[in-house]
Structures are given as structure tokens and as C-alpha cells.
Amino acid sequence: MSNNEKDFVKEVTPQAEDFSQWYLDIVLKTEMMDYAPIKGCMAIRPYGYAIWENIQHLLDRRIKETGHKNAYFPLFIPESLLQKEAEHVEGFAPEVALVTQGGNEKLSEKLVVRPTSEAIICEMYARWVQSWRDLPLLINQWCNVVRWEKNTRPFLRTSEFLWQEGHTVHSTEEEAQEETLKMLGVYQEFLENELAIPVIPGQKTEKEKFAGALKTYTIEALMADGKALQAGTSHNLGQHFAKVFEIKFQDKDDELKYAWTTSWGVSTRLIGALIMVHGDDRGLKLPPRVAPVQVVIVPIITKKKRDEVLLRSKEIAEELRGIGLRIELDDREEYSPGWKFNQWEMKGVPLRLEIGPRDLESGGVTAVRRDTGEKSFLPSESIPSQVPLLLQEIQDTLFRQALEFRKRKTFRPVDYNEFKRILEEDRGFLLAHWCGNSRCEEEIKAETKATIRCIPFDRDPEDKGPCLYCQKEGQLVYFARAY
RNA sequence: CGGGGCGUGGCGCAGCUUGGUAGCGCGCUUGGUUUGGGACCAAGAGGUCGCAGGUUCGAAUCCUGUCGCCCCGACCA
């Protein structure tokens, strides 16, 4: 980045200088969140929440299109319910918040504030499922969950966060497995098409899977600093929960059988992913599909042309709102145009339209893309057709850039030494052979801080080679340092 | 839970070593001139210096304790 360019940004620490600080500058200064007076908790401010609402809207549609219905379950879970599934309780016990008192009375049974809702939902499902005719049961809920985290970061890991969790019940193992993979596919399509974030779908290792799951699947994304982020998970819970919560049904063959359950979720962490995948030293770069403001109109107000410029700006704002775009008309006269340019660029607005005396004369507007900085002139009559096209191009470009970045940052180390060198110098994804033994996985993590992000679906089963650590024959998996 | 750093107007900081009327920049308010990449002039408002003790004639400054936040690790969406 040139010094010249640096002058545009006075509020954001450059990524190269300190990526963590860059991230914190962004979330605070774009007014996405603010720290709340509870450790690890944040207020999500309107600009950040608007992104979440867009995510909710676009994902909820997909969840419903795949046959699920929304419902709501209690925030509190009796401690005994959470403890029913052994692995599950072991996984979550260290991070649950407990309510021990209600009003002035001590509770006879402590209540857990849900860290996830398998327990309470399965408890209800046991009542609702009697017959094969009740299946599949396909329910999703949007809610908050609480996990008492020690190391928190805005959006990436907070003590309380917002998410959706789908919980389904099926009569056969095959159907549960199919559901698990289907929803992972929904997540992948959603992230790639709406958030412009390319992901690698795959399976988690035994060590990394969800507490209580038979199998966990994940989509993994690569952040601009070369660290991986688990962006969504989908779990095949087998019959673990059905058995402890007694979710049984009478099948067509008259037999009473335990059901098969799944669960899957994505969280406000996706907002962190958006920031770290697309952002640059000027601030956010939001994909148009989820940007709270898709187009900002900045009138260039001068003394002589003030009224004409404002009038034309309003007309164009209305015209674009009329075709369903999210438009902000920044007609504040107490800020200079230059200040507004920087401000809205920091906030990641994909497209800016400038309307000044010169544009009035030439009968159009000046359009400036956030992703490339490219300026173009749009004649008035072309605005309603060109603006959506530009937005689509920006959406595509963001995805393409992220994909190219990931390709550039995906390595195939030939041995463990090169693996370690790449982790120090480039980070990124490392595709390497692994024998399948947890011991090797743990040793590698202890020595390099890299974990197995997933066993990718998309791999050549013929591509076998010596395990990175023990040299026994293994298959290709993705390693990375992760958030 | 370890290691490091920081708490002083809304934000960023100086002042602390060597105790003596709390300061700077940005922002904010009012008025005016401006407006095509963070405008300028003038006049203002705003702080029990994280909190609690202690030492002292006197504490932002010294001592003790405590709380909070941030960063880096171990555990996790």
C-alpha cells in the first residue's frame, strides 16, 4: 500500500501491521458492535445487526425451502437434561452458565442457560414422535446461546451469540445422513452465493467433532491473514440422543425403534468471516447481497447548484429504491464529500454514486466501486439497469478474489519440515496426508498449532501417501491454524 | 488459567520518574465562510484521573488491595 493511499484511512490499523487490531478497529469504527459491560458480551449495533438480518432472511428462506419449520424452545435447560448424554455434557460442562436462584428462592434444580439446544429439544421431540408418520420432524430455531468463553473476540467468539440451530428426527440412518449432508450443502451454497465466501466442505476428525455427534461435517473458510475459520457445522447425531431422550417410534413393520437425529447451525460468527475474508486497509468490503446499504448516494453540494443537485439525488435514490435496492442518500451538509467517501468506504458500501454539478451537466452520475475503486460515468437513462449489474459484478468479483486468494494460500507440503515452514511464512491451508490416527493429529497440533480442519469431500481417493507425522499410508486432509 | 499491555472529558494520548490550580489533538456545541477524496476561522461546553483503602499540609503522580478491558497462548461456533 502506498503512502498516498494510506492517507485515506486515519482510523484503521493496516492489516500488515496488526491484523487483530485491524479487525477490532473495523468492528468498532464501522459501528457494527460495541463492548457491553459484561465480559465477552457485546451490543450488536444497527449496522452490524442489519447484516445479521440479511443473513437471517436469505438463509431462513433456504431452510424453509428444504422443508423445515421454525419454532422456539426454552432458554433454560434443567441441569439433569443436559447431563443425559455423556459426551455432550463433558463437552459443554466447562462453559455453561448456571442459574441457581429465581427471585428470592434457591432453585431445587439448577438451570443451565442453553449452550446449544439438543437436550431440551430432544426432550420435547420424545413427546412428539410416536409413529413413523411423525417423521421426519424438521425444525429450526433462531435464538441466542451462551457459552462461558475465556478468550473472546467480537463476532468470532463471544459469551453470548446469535445463531440458528436445526434439529431433525428421522426414521432411518440413511435419511439422517442425507439430511446432515443436505444442510451442509445449503450452508455452502449460501456462503458462496450470498456472502461471497468460498468454503471447503468436509468431515471433522474424531477429535474435532461435536460433543455427542456420530459424525460432524463442516465448511471451512480462509481468512485474509491465512487462518481458517469454521463457518458452519452439520452433525449426524446417530441414535445417541434418541436413546438417552427416548425418541422412539413405531415403524411400518410394527417394531418400536429409536429414531436418528441431526443438528446443524451457523452463527453471528459469519459476520466475522465477512469482515476477515473481504476487508482491506480501508475497511469493510461487503458483498452487495448482504450489505445493509448497497448504494450510497453522495451529492456534491455547491453553493450555486445546491437545490438542483439535491433534487436530482433524491430522484435517483427513489428510482433505485423503487427497484428494490437498499439505498442511503447522504445529504448531510455538515460533512464534506471527501469525508463521506472515506466513511462509506470504511463501512464497506459496495457502490457509491456521486452527483455534482458536472454530473448534472453531462446528464448522469459518477459510480465508484468499493471492490476495485473503479470509477465510471452512468448516463441517467442507464442507471436502473446498470446499477444492479454493477452490484452483481461486485458480488462476483468479491467471490472470485476470495477464491483466488484461497488457491494462492493452499499448499501441498512435501514433508513435515516444509509444512512447518509454510505455517510460519504463509499460513493458509495445507493439504497433506494423514494416517487417521488421533495421536499424529495431536502431536502436529502441539508442535505447530495447526489442526485438521476437515477431511474434504472433494479429494482423490487414489491420492495416498505417507502420513505427515508417522509416514504410514494416509489420505489427504486440510490443515490450518484456525480461529 | 498462564504470559504481556492498558485504565486520565465521547475517542486517541501526554502528565507520574522528582507529589503543589488537569493538558494536547480529534470529536462535540454556536456563528460564519466552504463542499468533486477526511475544509477553514472564531467563540464555547465537557474530566470526583477505573474503584477502595493508606502515606502526606497536599495524591492522576507514592504504597497496598481490588475490578475491568485488550493482545498472545491452552479450551471452544
Side-chain angles (χ1 to χ4, degrees), chain A residues 24 45 89 107 167-168 188 236-237 269 292 307 401 426:
Chain A
L24 292 169
R45 301 181 72 173
V89 62
L107 300 179
H167 294 268
T168 68
Q188 172 169 11
N236 182 339
L237 302 173
R269 172 179 262 196
D307 293 346
Q401 285 173 343
D426 294 289

Side-chain angles (χ1 to χ4, degrees), chain A residues 73-201:
Chain A
F73 296 86
L75 168 69
F76 300 119
I77 303 174
E79 200 179 16
S80 59
L81 276 194
L82 190 78
Q83 288 170 343
K84 280 191 171 181
E85 214 286 331
E87 265 183 61
H88 192 57
V89 62
E90 200 184 318
F92 285 102
E95 52 185 37
V96 293
L98 273 178
V99 179
T100 58
Q101 187 163 330
N104 291 324
E105 285 172 43
K106 198 149 196 170
L107 300 179
S108 57
E109 180 174 4
K110 291 177 199 157
L111 298 175
V112 166
V113 180
R114 63 179 166 219
T116 177
S117 303
E118 274 74 10
I120 189 79
I121 289 179
C122 288
E123 177 76 6
M124 301 308 295
Y125 281 1
R127 300 190 202 176
W128 300 343
V129 173
Q130 307 286 330
S131 152
W132 64 272
R133 289 174 227 272
D134 298 323
L135 301 176
L137 183 56
L138 307 173
I139 292 179
N140 175 67
Q141 86 166 336
W142 291 93
C143 67
N144 60 339
V145 288
V146 169
R147 299 181 188 177
W148 218 252
E149 297 287 351
K150 290 176 176 149
N151 208 353
T152 58
R153 307 189 71 185
F155 294 112
L156 297 174
R157 173 162 294 108
T158 45
S159 295
E160 180 189 10
F161 58 92
L162 306 182
W163 76 346
Q164 68 53 225
E165 48 179 330
H167 294 268
T168 68
V169 189
H170 307 268
S171 52
T172 66
E173 183 172 14
E174 297 70 42
E175 199 185 296
Q177 176 66 8
E178 192 186 320
E179 167 79 6
T180 308
L181 293 178
K182 180 203 284 178
M183 296 320 289
L184 192 79
V186 167
Y187 288 155
Q188 172 169 11
E189 183 275 330
F190 169 72
L191 262 84
E192 300 195 333
N193 290 329
E194 308 289 13
L195 306 186
I197 297 175
V199 296
I200 291 168

Side-chain angles (χ1 to χ4, degrees), chain A residues 19-81:
Chain A
F19 194 83
S20 283
Q21 193 56 52
W22 169 83
Y23 180 83
L24 292 169
D25 286 348
I26 299 282
V27 294
L28 285 166
K29 286 169 180 162
T30 59
E31 300 183 338
M32 283 201 274
M33 57 74 68
D34 197 4
Y35 289 102
I38 306 100
K39 182 169 171 51
C41 290
M42 60 177 178
I44 303 177
R45 301 181 72 173
Y47 197 69
Y49 200 76
I51 297 173
W52 182 239
E53 286 181 314
N54 289 334
I55 288 173
Q56 280 186 303
H57 175 248
L58 294 164
L59 182 57
D60 195 60
R61 198 166 72 203
R62 288 166 166 80
I63 289 170
K64 286 174 178 152
E65 278 167 3
T66 43
H68 306 84
K69 291 190 163 75
N70 283 336
Y72 188 79
F73 296 86
L75 168 69
F76 300 119
I77 303 174
E79 200 179 16
S80 59
L81 276 194

Side-chain angles (χ1 to χ4, degrees), chain A residues 297-447:
Chain A
I297 297 174
V298 179
I300 312 299
I301 298 165
T302 57
K303 210 169 170 182
K304 322 109 222 173
K305 295 278 186 179
R306 179 181 176 280
D307 293 346
E308 289 165 70
V309 164
L310 281 174
L311 182 68
R312 187 69 193 118
S313 300
K314 279 176 190 155
E315 282 172 4
I316 292 168
E318 279 317 306
E319 185 175 27
L320 290 173
R321 282 191 188 114
I323 59 171
L325 295 177
R326 296 186 287 272
I327 306 298
E328 174 90 19
L329 170 60
D330 190 353
D331 56 5
R332 294 173 295 177
E333 295 186 43
E334 59 273 26
Y335 292 98
S336 70
W339 189 89
K340 292 177 185 174
F341 296 166
N342 285 292
Q343 198 66 14
W344 290 111
E345 274 170 12
M346 185 172 77
K347 289 195 138 196
V349 174
L351 189 67
R352 177 174 79 239
L353 299 183
E354 303 172 16
I355 303 169
R358 290 210 295 270
D359 300 291
L360 286 185
E361 257 173 57
S362 19
V365 300
T366 302
V368 185
R369 291 171 61 154
R370 173 65 178 90
D371 59 333
T372 59
E374 211 177 313
K375 284 193 184 189
S376 56
F377 179 78
L378 303 180
S380 289
E381 63 278 8
S382 77
I383 291 172
S385 61
Q386 283 305 304
V387 167
L389 277 179
L390 272 170
L391 290 176
Q392 185 58 49
E393 261 182 52
I394 293 166
Q395 181 84 26
D396 295 343
T397 302
L398 287 178
F399 179 77
R400 205 173 50 244
Q401 285 173 343
L403 187 60
E404 277 162 15
F405 175 81
R406 192 188 74 191
K407 281 183 183 160
R408 213 161 55 238
K409 287 281 187 182
T410 300
F411 303 96
R412 290 265 325 234
V414 296
D415 59 21
Y416 196 34
N417 278 334
E418 193 188 359
F419 180 89
K420 286 190 260 193
R421 183 186 60 73
I422 292 169
L423 271 177
E424 290 309 315
E425 290 172 11
D426 294 289
R427 294 211 184 158
F429 279 130
L430 296 104
L431 257 176
H433 295 284
W434 173 60
C435 63
N437 190 329
S438 298
R439 177 68 66 79
C440 291
E441 183 181 9
E442 278 163 26
E443 292 295 334
I444 291 167
K445 184 181 178 184
E447 291 173 18

